[in-house]
Amino acid sequence: MDSLHELHLDVGRPSLTKIAEKSKKTDRDLSRSTIAYLMSEPRLPDFDGMQKLVAVLVELPPVSRPMNLDTTLNRFIALWKEAAKAENSPPPSPLVQELTKTGNAYLKVAAAYQRAEKLEANAVSAAMVATEWEYVAERSDELLGEGHLVAAEARKRADSKRADR
């Protein structure tokens, strides 16, 4: 769920260790591996785990704005339910699939591309930057179609960073 990443960002991108430690203090008891799974698994996260993670993140000192636990948790429960319904829906028609390659797809790829450029500009490790460029290539293939120009450029940049190591 992209919203989990936004919430994580809103509270200052605490480490998995810090989140796990906070969860133990609040009797929510999430391990680092469970948190990593909830934040990175492409499938819908476990309902109880998602609620625990949201509660722990909301209880961390917010960087951008104060948060209300009930309001935030209700928003995530609604998002989770919508995503669960979508998982059970039939796949979109070929026309709808083609249409999703425009608009939102380009915005998502642009956001991923910008993240990779920022990592590169901030002199983050070559391995991390290469991984981010590979992610951009994969998202481009997925959202814009196999072999799209953006994917080719991202792969070229990933290969270049791997060569820098």
Side-chain angles (χ1 to χ4, degrees), residues 11 21-22 26 37-38 42 65 79 96 117 129 132 137 143 155:
V11 297
E21 288 170 356
K22 178 70 174 180
T26 60
Y37 170 80
L38 291 168
R65 64 184 186 286
L79 287 168
V96 170
E117 286 181 329
V129 174
E132 190 67 22
L143 296 169
R155 279 198 178 83

Side-chain angles (χ1 to χ4, degrees), residues 53-124:
L53 179 56
V54 168
V56 170
L57 289 172
V58 167
E59 291 170 354
L60 288 168
V63 173
S64 61
R65 64 184 186 286
M67 288 181 246
N68 178 284
L69 177 59
D70 290 334
T71 303
T72 305
L73 199 49
N74 287 335
R75 180 171 67 90
F76 275 87
I77 289 170
L79 287 168
W80 190 93
K81 286 179 179 178
E82 284 300 312
K85 286 179 192 174
E87 274 190 347
N88 296 326
S89 299
S93 69
L95 176 61
V96 170
Q97 290 178 25
E98 190 61 33
L99 289 172
T100 60
K101 292 180 182 176
T102 60
N104 249 359
Y106 284 99
L107 292 175
K108 288 178 182 179
V109 170
Y113 203 94
Q114 187 174 23
R115 273 193 311 274
E117 286 181 329
K118 284 181 181 178
L119 282 175
E120 198 168 41
N122 289 322
V124 175

Side-chain angles (χ1 to χ4, degrees), residues 14-27:
S15 69
L16 298 182
T17 301
K18 184 174 181 178
I19 297 168
E21 288 170 356
K22 178 70 174 180
S23 77
K24 285 177 184 22
K25 290 178 186 173
T26 60
D27 295 326

